Amino acid sequence: MKRLVLVAVALGISAEAFATTVSNVEGRLSHTLDGSWRAIIDLYGTGYYDYRHEPRSRGFFMDEKPKNESDFVEYDFDRSGTLNVPGDWNSQRESLLYYEGIVWYRRTFDDPRSSPSRLFLHFGAVNYEAEVWLNGKLLGTHEGGFTPFDFEVTGDVRPRGNSLVVLVDNTRRQEAVPTLDTDWWNYGGITRSVTLVEVPETFVSDYLVQLDKGASDQIRGFVQLNGPRLGQSVVVSIPEANIRRVFATDKTGRAEISFPARLSLWSPKSPKLYDVEIAAETDVVKERIGFRTISTRGNLILLNGRPIFLRGISAHEEAPFRAGRAFSPEDARTLLSWVKELHGNFIRLAHYPHNENMTREADRMGILVWSEVPVYWAISWESAKTLDIAKQQIRENVERDKNRASVVVWSIGNETPVSDPRNRFMRSLVASVRDLDSTRLVSAALERHYLDEKTQMIDDPLGDALDVLGVNEYVGWYDGLPEKCDTLNWKTAYEKPHVISEFGGDARAGLHGGVLERWTEEFQESIYSHQIAMLKRLPFVQGMSPWILMDFRSPHRVLPGIQDGWNRKGVISDRGQKKKAFFVLRKFYEEKESGETK
Ligand code: GCU
């Protein structure tokens, strides 16, 4: 990040892009920049630093061509290889599978506008750090690999032959979020779509249209304008529900909105979405939105005021059938259809915000979502910079998905070790989430410990700040054998709903043997049978998301012939093979589902 600040200071501009200026890009007039981009692999940062490790003024970001036969230019994007966008670079070239560092991307484009309008350059996500130049001018930077950001380019774009250069750096750092160690592959690159978005001079930059906290018949939210004409009247309408309300924005372009609404509520059984229109005098934006309430009472989770058991599964953003970062609507549909096949109604998107196709598809398919930021394992709890980055990712995640009915839980982290600095850090994140969104549940995946050899205890001090407690446990895999579940007692310090956010074990699809033979489908199946029987005995368990839906790549997993760089805890292999445990879990969820009242 030091690199970013150096250039920004030199150029006297504010470096970092925070969140997006244009929300709901999907609902806007937009032009994709996806496709094949030129790319330079820059292991030593040559395109950026000179031999004294000082920033260059004529770095690769200038996208120069030699002016004449003697001019010294030691790179050439047009004669360099290509990489697909969106996509991680690791799965696109064998030689880049383990690559971590700097890659320069370059794309040229002509101004797509047919009428005078403002133009924004939007990135769905870039892992991990991005520095973006247009025609040699630094537009800005962004840190964080899983949330969107954008830059206005209205005044910078030329009619033809624009040069867009993006430096992407996925080097792992102690102070970053996530930090140095993760049990997932550090896929680098422009991993989600890049789009040019056209909007009017004064446009609707942001809005929230959701039910008020705990109210199934009252909508509360806001509309925000951006541009010279901030004082306008805006109409919020939901035609199918005969709703048409007029509000006036104040001099900052903001209108708080609140009105009664009789709506069919969204739920997994009936994922009802409404066409919602926000019309200002100078702009109109539409979106399909569902309305539901989510709350807790004692150790119950209430969806639309009724107790619900979260029949879930965890998932990484690993692409089914082809490996690499998932990003497309098809990837989302495949992964979520498997959840439906399990008779599931819930998915834990681990351990970072997944792409927007996932949460929008969950809205359509009726699957509740746990959305998490990668505050994972041993983060730098005492670093103010790390806290800022974590909060930025939370803000960007909430801002992107605040109108998604499917998203019901904001998780602030996973398996973070109890300590005073950690507790302070995590409590501060809880406060940030609650400031941004008081309508959803706040959680985290916590650990437990043994009171005695027969009793597990859940008493992480962070529990008192959360609405729902996620609990990760690997009884039968890292902790004893499957039958250990049969005699284990559980205690909790909290009268709150608990979701068993992880349990499971590795199995190589197609490997068969005795129930005590590790790595076989039979061993994994046995873990699921014993775990489900154990968890059924615990009244505070109101949901589960076993680890994990599909095998995923991880540098931690090196067992030859079994793992070969993959965590094999999926109930489905990365090739779509369903393991025996899949059917044990499906049977349990089918029973649960049929036992539910309509
Ligand atoms: C941990 C962790 C996961 C990891 C899993 C495993 O609990 O949260 O990220 O992949 O266990 O060991 O497979």
Side-chain angles (χ1 to χ4, degrees):
M1 199 61 170
K2 188 170 78 49
R3 190 182 50 237
L4 305 176
V5 178
L6 276 175
V7 167
V9 170
L11 292 167
I13 61 168
S14 71
E16 294 184 33
F18 281 139
T20 54
T21 315
V22 184
S23 63
N24 183 19
V25 166
E26 211 177 278
R28 288 284 180 192
L29 173 57
S30 58
H31 313 272
T32 183
L33 291 177
D34 290 353
S36 170
W37 292 44
R38 294 285 175 184
I40 300 176
I41 314 305
D42 187 5
L43 192 59
Y44 279 40
T46 306
Y48 201 93
Y49 296 106
D50 63 18
Y51 77 114
R52 290 273 178 266
H53 209 66
E54 292 302 325
R56 293 175 185 279
S57 56
R58 290 180 63 196
F60 291 4
F61 45 82
M62 299 307 288
D63 189 9
E64 289 180 283
K65 292 283 183 206
K67 293 184 189 53
N68 53 52
E69 60 183 356
S70 359
D71 193 10
F72 179 78
V73 178
E74 204 172 19
Y75 68 96
D76 182 347
F77 277 109
D78 290 316
R79 283 187 285 153
S80 300
T82 61
L83 285 171
N84 292 328
V85 169
D88 61 278
W89 60 63
N90 311 75
S91 59
Q92 291 190 50
R93 290 189 208 163
E94 184 99 17
S95 60
L96 294 177
L97 180 58
Y98 294 93
Y99 184 72
E100 295 180 298
I102 292 176
V103 172
W104 295 85
Y105 286 77
R106 197 282 318 262
R107 175 83 158 72
T108 58
F109 66 90
D110 299 338
D111 184 344
R113 291 172 296 180
S114 49
S115 62
S117 54
R118 292 171 71 184
L119 198 60
F120 285 80
L121 175 63
H122 181 274
F123 293 84
V126 172
N127 192 47
Y128 176 73
E129 280 178 10
E131 295 175 47
V132 183
W133 287 266
L134 184 61
N135 302 326
K137 173 187 172 196
L138 179 68
L139 295 176
T141 63
H142 184 265
E143 177 168 351
F146 303 99
T147 45
F149 57 98
D150 64 15
F151 305 104
E152 177 155 18
V153 294
T154 310
D156 304 301
V157 82
R158 295 179 192 144
R160 306 187 64 73
N162 292 282
S163 159
L164 174 60
V165 173
V166 183
L167 179 160
V168 180
D169 185 356
N170 75 335
T171 305
R172 285 172 289 121
R173 304 179 205 285
Q174 175 57 47
E175 291 209 326
V177 178
T179 183
L180 294 168
D181 191 7
T182 64
D183 188 26
W184 70 81
W185 208 268
N186 181 25
Y187 287 124
I190 304 180
T191 51
R192 296 178 190 161
S193 287
V194 184
T195 315
L196 287 167
V197 187
E198 266 191 74
V199 289
E201 197 187 17
T202 301
F203 67 100
V204 177
S205 61
D206 200 7
Y207 52 88
L208 172 69
V209 186
Q210 283 279 283
L211 288 174
D212 197 0
K213 186 173 177 57
S216 60
D217 57 3
Q218 184 73 20
I219 284 183
R220 180 180 292 283
F222 69 84
V223 174
Q224 178 68 54
L225 302 181
N226 177 311
R229 283 192 53 203
L230 292 177
Q232 296 190 18
S233 77
V234 292
V235 181
V236 178
S237 45
I238 310 178
E240 199 187 332
N242 297 320
I243 291 173
R244 188 180 183 285
R245 293 283 175 147
V246 184
F247 299 90
T249 54
D250 62 21
K251 61 182 181 329
T252 69
R254 189 176 179 96
E256 302 299 332
I257 66 170
S258 178
F259 52 89
R262 291 184 60 74
L263 301 160
S264 307
L265 298 181
W266 181 98
S267 73
K269 278 212 168 64
S270 63
K272 172 67 185 166
L273 299 177
Y274 286 88
D275 286 320
V276 175
E277 184 184 275
I278 317 276
E281 293 154 34
T282 55
D283 185 26
V284 179
V285 62
K286 294 185 178 132
E287 186 157 13
R288 302 237 338 124
I289 297 181
F291 300 91
R292 51 95 194 97
T293 68
I294 187 79
S295 57
T296 65
R297 189 182 63 228
N299 60 25
L300 293 175
I301 297 172
L302 307 176
L303 177 70
N304 301 329
R306 287 210 199 126
I308 185 165
F309 185 91
L310 303 181
R311 307 188 310 269
I313 189 97
S314 295
H316 262 295
E317 195 180 41
E318 186 84 46
F321 304 113
R322 69 172 194 278
R325 268 277 164 255
F327 57 78
S328 69
E330 297 71 39
D331 293 336
R333 272 194 290 279
T334 301
L335 295 169
L336 294 176
S337 310
W338 284 335
V339 177
K340 282 285 183 186
E341 232 182 291
L342 273 172
H343 293 276
N345 61 8
F346 173 61
I347 189 166
R348 175 185 177 210
L349 300 180
H351 292 290
Y352 37 76
H354 288 210
N355 63 79
E356 204 172 342
N357 293 315
M358 202 61 168
T359 49
R360 287 184 181 275
E361 199 55 40
D363 264 17
R364 282 186 283 268
M365 291 173 78
I367 295 177
L368 297 156
V369 168
W370 161 303
S371 177
E372 185 163 295
V373 288
V375 175
Y376 180 91
W377 290 349
I379 292 277
S380 298
W381 307 114
E382 320 244 22
S383 155
K385 180 167 165 347
T386 303
L387 183 61
D388 280 352
I389 291 291
K391 287 187 173 178
Q392 178 198 320
Q393 294 186 27
I394 285 176
R395 191 176 48 249
E396 292 172 348
N397 191 27
V398 173
E399 286 185 355
R400 189 195 76 182
D401 284 352
K402 59 183 177 295
N403 287 309
R404 301 279 72 74
S406 57
V407 179
V408 289
V409 176
W410 299 120
S411 167
I412 55 165
N414 179 75
E415 292 187 356
T416 51
V418 175
S419 73
D420 289 348
R422 171 264 192 183
N423 298 346
R424 278 195 300 278
F425 188 107
M426 297 303 273
R427 286 181 195 286
S428 169
L429 297 188
V430 172
S432 292
V433 176
R434 293 201 190 286
D435 283 351
L436 290 162
D437 179 6
S438 63
T439 67
R440 291 179 173 85
L441 306 177
V442 182
S443 188
L446 308 175
E447 299 183 286
R448 75 266 89 60
H449 60 94
Y450 276 93
L451 272 186
D452 57 46
E453 69 183 48
K454 281 260 176 256
T455 312
Q456 291 259 26
M457 183 61 178
I458 303 162
D459 58 3
D460 184 321
L462 182 62
D464 66 9
L466 304 174
D467 302 307
V468 171
L469 277 72
V471 177
N472 291 2
E473 50 91 2
Y474 280 90
V475 180
W477 183 251
Y478 296 128
D479 173 7
L481 293 172
E483 64 268 7
K484 182 172 182 176
C485 296
D486 307 346
T487 54
L488 208 53
N489 307 315
W490 285 79
K491 279 196 166 36
T492 177
Y494 300 102
E495 176 66 16
K496 292 185 179 186
H498 295 53
V499 169
I500 304 301
S501 34
E502 291 183 33
F503 73 79
D506 287 60
R508 175 78 197 226
L511 183 63
H512 295 286
V515 289
L516 289 176
E517 215 176 312
R518 277 187 190 271
W519 316 109
T520 62
E521 290 196 31
E522 285 72 20
F523 192 107
Q524 188 192 47
E525 179 187 33
S526 170
I527 290 175
Y528 275 71
S529 311
H530 287 275
Q531 278 276 350
I532 290 168
M534 172 179 72
L535 299 176
K536 273 181 174 175
R537 299 200 307 263
L538 309 179
F540 53 77
V541 172
Q542 293 301 318
M544 56 175 75
S545 54
W547 195 258
I548 187 166
L549 179 63
M550 189 187 85
D551 294 353
F552 61 96
R553 260 212 185 103
S554 165
H556 276 272
R557 311 299 168 172
V558 295
L559 188 60
I562 301 275
Q563 296 176 321
D564 300 314
W566 290 79
N567 184 312
R568 298 287 184 197
K569 291 191 180 69
V571 292
I572 301 176
S573 77
D574 54 297
R575 298 284 151 204
Q577 304 149 288
K578 296 189 176 72
K579 305 175 192 177
K580 285 186 165 183
F582 177 94
F583 303 100
V584 173
L585 188 60
R586 185 176 71 174
K587 185 163 170 295
F588 172 57
Y589 285 169
E590 205 168 1
E591 283 162 18
K592 267 270 179 221
E593 187 178 34
S594 56
E596 261 175 27
T597 53
K598 281 277 166 287

